[in-house]
Amino acid sequence: MTLKGKIAIVTGSNSGIGLGIAEALAKAGAEVVINSFSDTEADHALAAKIAAEHKVKVTYIAADMSKAADCRALVTRAGGCDILVNNAGIQHVAPIESFPPEKWDAILAINLTSAFHTTAVALPMMRKKGWGRVINISSAHGLTASPFKSAYIAAKHGLVGLSKTVALETAGQGITCNAICPGYVLTPLVEAQIPDQMKTHNMDRETVIREVMLDRQPSKQFATTEQLGGTVIFLCSDFADQITGTTISVDGGWTAL
Ligand code: NAD
């Protein structure tokens, strides 16, 4: 299957899941735009490395997904958008009473509102071509909850709702919109939670991973960035033409519990 001739934008893709998805799209032949809020030599070198490896055009565009104007400019500057993967995300863990309001605002802006802005600019481009894919990276926490992650869980449930609405507004137009709901994937975002969890539970690293993080993941295995890339490629294929307005869990059975 080839995505040659398609332009794909992946928000928050200079690390972790977004990077895995960007690499899978480049491997499938798409022209890829990778993104984060930083604008370093390393960011542009990363784009050049993926381009050289897969012999496709890969551009790095800096844009802060907490800012409406940046979200919209990212899609405009890409020069087209056939595949939009809304992946940028941050996390903060605290009980509601002590949850910093500015963290709530940042999480809602980056994890949810950015997808509204990018989608609003991308849809007319997709309609013009009669083909498009909007893929929102939600979470098992878009379908279930855990304590102390109020903003993240509200945002990820919101992404599932946004995906359904976009699906209804684009139905029958060659455009689909879905949310992928990963369980735990060992990325920098998850890695950063380990020290806190070790402190909270008074456990060593391995025990936290097995008994806390993967407690609700029946497979007891992390999902991988390659598996998420593969799920995106499937959603971009003709086989997925009639899959829209739904969620695909990649969570080792978490949401079956
Ligand atoms: P990560 O920290 O490795 O990657 C997050 C990406 O978002 C980075 O590229 C970062 O630079 C970017 N980002 C952060 N703030 C940004 C901003 N203001 N503007 C632009 N980019 C910004 O984390 P990850 O684990 O790869 O997470 C990627 C997505 O997958 C997130 O939405 C996360 O909620 C979701 N997710 C992750 C897991 C997991 O276990 N890792 C599980 C379910 C869902």
Side-chain angles (χ1 to χ4, degrees), residues 61 63 68-78 121:
I61 299 180
D70 274 33
C71 297
R72 288 172 181 260
L74 170 65
V75 182
T76 309
R77 285 183 59 199
V121 181

Side-chain angles (χ1 to χ4, degrees), residues 12 14-15 17 36 64-65 87 138 152 156 182-183 185 187-190:
N14 67 351
S15 94
I17 293 172
S36 184
D64 184 342
M65 292 298 105
N87 168 79
S138 177
Y152 186 86
K156 293 298 186 182
V185 187
T187 64
L189 182 131
V190 169

Side-chain angles (χ1 to χ4, degrees), residues 11-19 35-38 60 63-67 86-91 106 110-111 137-141 152 156 159 180-191 193 222-223 225 228 254:
T11 71
S13 47
N14 67 351
S15 94
I17 293 172
L19 179 56
N35 151 265
S36 184
F37 56 88
S38 55
Y60 179 84
D64 184 342
M65 292 298 105
S66 69
K67 299 185 175 133
N86 290 305
N87 168 79
I90 58 167
Q91 173 65 289
I110 295 166
N111 296 24
I137 306 303
S138 177
S139 167
H141 277 133
Y152 186 86
K156 293 298 186 182
L159 264 187
I180 296 177
C181 296
Y184 268 112
V185 187
L186 194 55
T187 64
L189 182 131
V190 169
E191 191 66 56
Q193 294 175 39
F222 284 110
T225 57
L228 290 161
W254 178 330

Side-chain angles (χ1 to χ4, degrees), residues 36-254:
S36 184
F37 56 88
S38 55
D39 197 4
T40 65
E41 260 178 45
D43 291 324
H44 294 275
L46 179 62
K49 179 176 159 276
I50 302 170
E53 200 171 326
H54 301 292
K55 299 184 174 45
V56 290
K57 185 174 170 194
V58 181
T59 317
Y60 179 84
I61 299 180
D64 184 342
M65 292 298 105
S66 69
K67 299 185 175 133
D70 274 33
C71 297
R72 288 172 181 260
L74 170 65
V75 182
T76 309
R77 285 183 59 199
C81 183
D82 304 294
I83 299 162
L84 172 64
V85 183
N86 290 305
N87 168 79
I90 58 167
Q91 173 65 289
H92 186 79
V93 181
I96 290 190
E97 312 88 280
S98 56
F99 207 97
E102 61 279 9
K103 289 278 183 201
W104 172 278
D105 288 344
I107 290 173
L108 268 287
I110 295 166
N111 296 24
L112 175 60
T113 309
S114 67
F116 157 70
H117 291 300
T118 54
T119 303
V121 181
L123 285 186
M125 298 173 173
M126 293 177 180
R127 284 203 179 97
K128 221 180 252 176
K129 292 204 185 167
W131 192 93
R133 295 288 190 260
V134 181
I135 300 168
N136 293 322
I137 306 303
S138 177
S139 167
H141 277 133
L143 302 167
T144 64
S146 299
F148 315 127
K149 296 183 177 178
S150 54
Y152 186 86
I153 285 161
K156 293 298 186 182
H157 276 72
L159 264 187
V160 171
L162 176 66
S163 305
K164 291 179 183 176
T165 303
V166 172
L168 294 181
E169 292 188 19
T170 56
Q173 299 168 21
I175 300 167
T176 67
C177 179
N178 295 287
I180 296 177
C181 296
Y184 268 112
V185 187
L186 194 55
T187 64
L189 182 131
V190 169
E191 191 66 56
Q193 294 175 39
I194 296 177
D196 265 0
Q197 296 279 0
M198 286 167 64
K199 234 189 276 164
T200 308
H201 298 279
N202 195 23
M203 289 174 176
D204 64 22
R205 182 185 160 86
E206 293 317 309
T207 315
V208 158
I209 289 175
R210 195 181 55 251
E211 291 182 15
V212 179
M213 298 196 138
L214 298 180
D215 177 45
R216 291 168 72 182
Q217 200 144 310
S219 66
K220 298 295 170 203
Q221 290 163 345
F222 284 110
T224 67
T225 57
E226 290 78 8
Q227 290 160 359
L228 290 161
T231 306
V232 166
I233 299 302
F234 166 67
L235 284 174
C236 291
S237 74
D238 296 345
F239 296 116
D241 273 353
Q242 293 302 317
I243 299 177
T244 194
T246 193
T247 58
I248 298 189
S249 291
V250 184
D251 67 2
W254 178 330

